[in-house]
Each structure stands twice: as structure tokens, then as C-alpha cells.
Amino acid sequence: MVRDSFESSIKSLEEEVVKMIESVEELVIKSIDSLINKDVNLAREVIRLDDNVDKMQLEIEEKTIELIALQQPMAKHLRIIFSIAKIIIDLERVGDFCVNISKETIKIGKERHIKPLTDIPKMRDIVLGMLRNCKISFIKEDSSLAYRVGQEDELIDNLYKDVYTDVLMLIHEDSKNINQGTKLLFVGRYLERMADHITNICERIIYIADGDKVQIN
Amino acid sequence: MLTNGGSSQNGVVYDVKGLNLWYGNDQALKDINLKIEENEVTAIIGPSGCGKSTFIKTLNRMVDNIPIVRTSGKIFYHGVNIFDKTVKLEELRTTVGMVFQKPNPFPKSIFENVVYGPKIHGIRNKKQLMEIAEESLKSAALWDEVKDRLHDNAYGLSGGQQQRLCIARSLAIQPDVLLMDEPTSALDPIATNRIEELIDELKNNYTIAIVTHSMQQAARISDKTAFFLMGELIEFSDTKKIFTTPEDKRTEDYITGRFG
């Protein structure tokens, strides 16, 4: 009986992590949409929505502490609870990067973009795909999927290099591009960092599933 | 021949090979293979009736006291098979001490309890006996509590103190190994904590094998953990590994409380 409720506590904790991943997905979509469409209101909404993600992190963290204190989890239970406590830190960071992107969007305001935004949406699509598959691998405890997700980080790194080169060229051509150029560079950098954090999450999922501590990339 | 430490090879105190044990027709231990290393605490866990107490009692041949017991296989203690006819039981039990679930002091004074063993071994010198008593009681972390009432009856001590007295009594004959069969199951959390701290200190000088029903206790105090189930040794590994990433599904199920 007591054990049953422990198992169901772990299950509901996992469900909350899934909800947190979905909230972060929404932030990624909205932050890049707001940048592309110069939608300052949407950017402000992202900043507001991130408060919920922060709240979720605190709530989940509180529950992990409670379960450790009251149930003394062992083996798989321990790996799940410990890993969730780490996963939510990475998730919260992804949310923060969405806020950072939104702040750049607000600063750019209605300015004409100095270049057509092609690589940034591509980066967003990869980050979103990584997040979704990361969620599936977490739900299914599928370590091979988690491993494949982690490897996609390389695609993001390459796209970021392209963004970097393009913007540098534009700045080189016209120093008036420096202001917005650096902002776009930051956006690329934030997306690249998001993928790093998702990769960390994938490593935790592999630890939950197989007990192996791996470094993907 | 059974030496007190020293002659072990590569720090192995016990090397159990293919041990089987039957109570009449019931097989209680099935092909057990494991090594107990010097100055380590080895915890033995498993559900009731899994053979863990039988196993620990085989290590000093206490099971010999049960007439219907039959064994096969070998247990090398510092390289000598303890089932060899040449092995003297008294000698084995002098180097391999045992502490039981319920404290079992003799109905004598605290002092007499501790020096009981040394006296049997022929030590009569009062000064020497007092030195042994003091040293053993200090090692068992009991000295400060009883030094002013050594000649009081041991039954006047609390349960936790009685258990430490039993540990002191085992230490008085300078054993090499301490076997403990659920030594804290009858004690409150504070007394349990004292015994656990004591075990941690004692392992610097002794090799300890402990049967415990408390997985948290095994996790806290042991270096290696052996998981027994229905007479079989399912998994034997570093305690850290057993409690974080056990290999066998049955170990996982037991320590996460799915059965047992």
C-alpha cells in the first residue's frame, strides 16, 4: 500500500516533468515567432510564461526532496528522482534562453531585419524536434532514442557557425549592422545553448533507463 | 594453523566455493560463490528464509550444531578449507566471533562477561584481564558508560549497551572476523546508530560480515552487499552499485520494495 503510493508519486512527478517540457516547447515556438514577426507583445508574453516554468521547477524540486526524505529511494527509483532533480535545472535554463531571445526581440522592435532569417527558424525546428523526442524518450525510458536526440546537437552547432559567419560578413560590410547583428548572434548562441541543455537531459534519461553515465558529444 | 590475519592472500579472508547446504531434504543454500575481503564490511540482505542467516552461521560452522544439516562445497578461510577434518572448531570460533540479533550477555557482571573468553583460554592474571576488559570495552565504545560499575550485573544495562557488551566480549578473544546476525534489529534508532558507528570503526581492525533486514543499514555501513533469494546468491557487488544500478531484476525488485 505504502509502496503503491510511492510508485504513483513517482509517476505523477514524471507527468509534471512532461508538462514542464511541453511548456518549454511553447516558449521556444513563441520566442522565435515573436522574433520573426517582430511581435513585441508575444515576446512579452514569453517573459511572463517563463515565470510558470520557474514555478514548475520549484514545485518538482520540492517533491523530489520530499520523496528522498520520506521514501529513501533505491536503485531505479533513486535514479529517476535524482535525474529529475537535474533535468528540471536544464529545462529551466532552456526557458531562460527563450526569455533572452524575447528581450532581444523587444530591443529590435520594428527595425527592418538586416538579413532574411533562414538559419534561425531551422535551428528552432531542430531544437523543437530534440525537445519532443527527448520527451518521448523520457516517457518511454528509451535510451537509444535519447542518444540519437543528443547527437543532433551537432546540426545545431553547424547552423550556429553559419549564422555567425553571415552576421560577421554583414557587420564587415556595414558598421550600421553591428547593433542588430550582435543581437542576432546572441539569438543563435541562445539556440545553440538550448541544444546543449537538451543533450544534458538526454544523458540523464540514459542514466535512468540503463544506469550508464554517458557523455554524448 | 588458522592464523589471525596475516596469511590471507590478496586480502581475501573467506573464499566460498560452490557451497550447498541442506536441512534434511530442503536445500537452504545453492552453489554459493563469494569472497569476503579483509577490513571490509560485507552486508548480506534478502527476504526472510532466503538463507542469509544460514550462510553467516556456516562461516564459523555454527550450523554444525544442527544435526540434520549437510553441506557440500568449500569455504576457504585464509586459504584453509574450514570443513577439513584437521580444522579445530574451537580454534575457528576463536578467530571468528559472532554477535546475535538479541543481546545475550551471561548472567554475570559486566567485567566477567568480557573476560569470560580469555579466562577459558587460560588467562588468570588479574591485571592482564583488567587490561583486556578495558581495551575491549573501549573498542566496543562502552567503556565510558560502564567503567565505574564493571562489577554490576550485565542485565542492568540497556539493550543497546548489552549489545555493545556482547561485541566487547567477542573482541576480548582478539578475533579476526566478526559475524553479526541482525545486531540492531532489537535496538532503538539511537542505539542502532551507535552500533553502526562502531562497525565503521571496527572495520579498520576486523573483517565484518553482517546480516541485516534494513537495506538502509546495508547501504550506510557496508562496502560490499550480497543479495540472497531462496538459497541462491543473486547478486554480489560493491554496495554503491547494488543500491544505484543493480544488475539483476530480482535485486532491483527487492531493494525498491516490490516484493519481500
Side-chain angles (χ1 to χ4, degrees), chain A residues 128-173:
Chain A
L128 274 179
M130 286 175 82
L131 260 178
R132 283 178 190 143
N133 283 326
C134 168
K135 177 176 71 183
I136 293 168
S137 67
F138 177 74
I139 294 168
K140 294 185 175 168
E141 291 181 3
D142 182 343
S143 54
S144 62
L145 177 60
Y147 196 79
R148 287 200 302 279
V149 174
Q151 284 176 321
E152 285 178 41
D153 186 41
E154 218 181 305
L155 300 173
I156 287 283
D157 289 348
N158 290 333
L159 281 168
Y160 175 55
K161 274 177 208 147
D162 291 348
V163 171
Y164 188 85
T165 319
D166 285 358
V167 171
L168 238 56
M169 294 281 282
L170 288 165
I171 289 174
H172 187 71
E173 280 165 17

Side-chain angles (χ1 to χ4, degrees), chain A residues 42-178:
Chain A
L42 188 61
R44 293 209 173 93
E45 189 188 325
V46 170
I47 296 171
R48 220 173 33 249
L49 286 174
D50 181 58
D51 290 344
N52 288 340
V53 172
D54 293 352
K55 224 170 92 190
M56 283 171 149
Q57 187 208 351
L58 290 178
E59 283 168 6
I60 295 171
E61 185 184 286
E62 186 71 34
K63 285 179 188 164
T64 59
I65 292 170
E66 241 171 57
L67 286 175
I68 290 169
L70 302 181
Q71 301 283 353
Q72 292 99 39
M74 295 280 193
K76 181 76 162 277
H77 291 157
L78 178 64
R79 299 206 301 274
I80 292 173
I81 293 170
F82 176 76
S83 299
I84 284 177
K86 304 277 272 186
I87 284 171
I88 56 175
I89 298 171
D90 283 306
L91 273 178
E92 192 266 341
R93 291 297 293 142
V94 176
D96 285 351
F97 288 126
C98 294
V99 168
N100 293 346
I101 290 173
S102 298
K103 284 179 178 166
E104 301 303 341
T105 300
I106 292 168
K107 283 183 211 152
I108 292 169
K110 296 288 177 197
E111 265 176 47
R112 189 186 56 84
H113 287 147
I114 57 169
K115 73 187 266 302
L117 301 183
T118 48
D119 290 329
I120 285 174
K122 275 188 216 159
M123 289 177 83
R124 170 201 58 194
D125 292 343
I126 294 169
V127 165
L128 274 179
M130 286 175 82
L131 260 178
R132 283 178 190 143
N133 283 326
C134 168
K135 177 176 71 183
I136 293 168
S137 67
F138 177 74
I139 294 168
K140 294 185 175 168
E141 291 181 3
D142 182 343
S143 54
S144 62
L145 177 60
Y147 196 79
R148 287 200 302 279
V149 174
Q151 284 176 321
E152 285 178 41
D153 186 41
E154 218 181 305
L155 300 173
I156 287 283
D157 289 348
N158 290 333
L159 281 168
Y160 175 55
K161 274 177 208 147
D162 291 348
V163 171
Y164 188 85
T165 319
D166 285 358
V167 171
L168 238 56
M169 294 281 282
L170 288 165
I171 289 174
H172 187 71
E173 280 165 17
D174 186 348
S175 64
K176 283 206 280 295
N177 288 335
I178 289 177

Side-chain angles (χ1 to χ4, degrees), chain A residues 3 7 71-72 74-79 207 210-211, chain B residues 215-216 219 242-246 252 255-258:
Chain A
R3 276 283 121 164
E7 300 249 345
Q71 301 283 353
Q72 292 99 39
M74 295 280 193
K76 181 76 162 277
H77 291 157
L78 178 64
R79 299 206 301 274
Y207 180 62
D210 302 340
Chain B
M215 263 143 348
Q216 276 72 35
I242 292 271
F243 288 103
T244 57
T245 51
E252 170 89 38
I255 64 175
T256 56
R258 290 201 180 90

Side-chain angles (χ1 to χ4, degrees), chain B residues 192-207:
Chain B
T192 297
N193 191 26
R194 295 225 52 178
I195 301 277
E196 288 183 2
E197 278 174 11
L198 177 59
I199 289 170
D200 200 50
E201 284 164 28
L202 290 175
K203 81 169 184 184
N204 295 320
N205 301 311
Y206 305 91
T207 301

